[in-house]
Amino acid sequence: PLSRETREAACAAGGDPYEYALYGGEDFELVFTISPGRLDALKSEFSDFTVVGEVLRKEEGVFMLHGERRIDMKGGFDHFSG
C-alpha cells in the first residue's frame, strides 16, 4: 500500500510513487514472511497488517504485479552506497 503522502510527493516532483516507495530509503514498515498455513492464526491475533506478496522459487525472480503488468525489481535501497 502507498500512503497518500507518498503519492502526493511523487506527483509534485513528477516522479513515480512506486519508485519512491520501493527505492527511496524511508523504510518505516516491518516486512516479514509467514507460511501460508499460519496466516489464519496471525489474522486471529492481529488485524493491522497487509499481505503484499509471496515467496516463490528463486528461478521466478523478484517482481511486482501491478494489475496484470509484471514489473521486475531492481533491488532495494543501499544505505551504504555513495
Side-chain angles (χ1 to χ4, degrees):
L2 294 177
S3 69
R4 177 181 52 80
E5 293 85 357
T6 299
R7 292 178 192 274
E8 289 174 358
C11 181
D16 180 353
Y18 288 100
E19 289 283 323
Y20 281 54
L22 294 170
Y23 307 114
E26 297 299 320
D27 307 313
F28 297 113
E29 295 288 334
L30 177 63
V31 177
F32 62 95
T33 60
I34 186 171
S35 68
R38 301 200 56 194
L39 186 57
D40 286 337
L42 183 66
K43 286 180 181 178
S44 72
E45 294 291 326
F46 302 97
S47 62
D48 58 345
F49 66 92
T50 302
V51 176
V52 297
E54 63 183 286
V55 177
L56 303 173
R57 293 185 337 264
K58 184 177 182 177
E59 296 80 29
E60 297 282 336
V62 179
F63 61 92
M64 177 174 67
L65 290 177
H66 185 67
E68 294 294 318
R69 190 177 81 174
R70 177 183 165 135
I71 303 167
D72 290 319
M73 305 303 291
K74 61 183 177 182
F77 183 82
D78 184 354
H79 293 274
F80 303 105
S81 69

